[in-house]
Amino acid sequence: DSGVTQTPKHLITATGQRVTLRCSPRSGDLSVYWYQQSLDQGLQFLIQYYNGEERAKGNILERFSAQQFPDLHSELNLSSLELGDSALYFCASSVRGGDSTDTQYFGPGTRLTVL
Amino acid sequence: GENVEQHPSTLSVQEGDSAVIKCTYSDSASNYFPWYKQELGKRPQLIIDIRSNVGEKKDQRIAVTLNKTAKHFSLHITETQPEDSAVYFCAGPLGDDKIIFGKGTRLHILP
């Protein structure tokens, strides 16, 4: 157990809908990262937050948004869902965040299925 | 373009043999090179990392070697066992403040 929690574990929804994925980082970690992993694909970096502020952006669609709250938990919002958004969404956390030597610890993931 | 390239994408080895996965990177700002293992349906987990200019680090059957001049680092698994079957990801520096993951190597341990 990495100490990073994600809810829900599974989510099934329909095209056009909006969902929210939640992540709680390890105690003491200030950074949260979001990744998308489609079937048999690698980890696509979406976005990073550090201490409440957006720190880095990857290949995140405009339909997706995220935020990090004062208690450091983070939410990833996915809207106007399409079939291709079906994937495993991972959250990771690290102590710092402005440092490429920072170890990332992954949560168990949320499996999103769009029907 | 691609900042971290990982090879091979799939690797099958006989149980008991060694497996080697290699990654190359383009940015040279960092001294941190982690490897993650992801079992089917589970989270990626850090299995080993190297944080210095030292060329090699070992942890039981797993080792990572780093060649900063050539900008590549490798994961070595010796005496492979069935539980080593998984997808392995390397990660390398992207500038001073970020890491980027390779596309992964699916390792099959054959009985």
Side-chain angles (χ1 to χ4, degrees), chain A residues 6-103:
Chain A
Q6 287 185 250
T7 57
K9 193 171 182 179
H10 300 279
L11 198 48
I12 301 174
T13 188
T15 54
Q17 294 298 305
R18 182 180 191 276
V19 297
T20 298
L21 282 52
R22 183 189 168 106
C23 168
S24 292
R26 295 186 319 156
S27 177
D29 283 2
L30 298 178
S31 262
V32 168
Y33 309 77
W34 286 97
Y35 294 88
Q36 181 192 56
Q37 187 175 44
S38 302
L39 193 63
D40 287 337
Q41 296 294 310
L43 293 161
Q44 296 296 318
F45 169 66
L46 297 177
I47 198 164
Q48 176 201 354
Y49 277 83
Y50 172 70
N51 206 19
E53 307 243 337
E54 184 182 303
R55 183 70 176 82
K57 222 168 189 177
N59 299 322
I60 188 167
L61 300 171
E62 286 191 11
R63 300 183 287 111
F64 296 179
S65 65
Q67 55 184 326
Q68 186 179 29
F69 295 87
D71 67 352
L72 301 177
H73 90 270
S74 178
E75 292 180 356
L76 178 67
N77 301 296
L78 314 176
S79 62
S80 303
L81 285 168
E82 302 174 358
L83 295 177
D85 297 328
S86 295
L88 200 50
Y89 289 84
F90 286 106
C91 159
S93 74
S94 69
V95 173
R96 300 182 298 275
D99 187 339
S100 62
T101 67
D102 212 11
T103 299

Side-chain angles (χ1 to χ4, degrees), chain A residues 2 37 40 101 103-104, chain B residues 32 36 38 43 51 96 106:
Chain A
S2 66
Q37 187 175 44
D40 287 337
T101 67
T103 299
Q104 295 183 28
Chain B
Y32 177 57
Y36 287 80
Q38 186 179 25
R43 77 185 81 191
R51 287 181 176 274
D96 291 331
R106 187 174 296 280

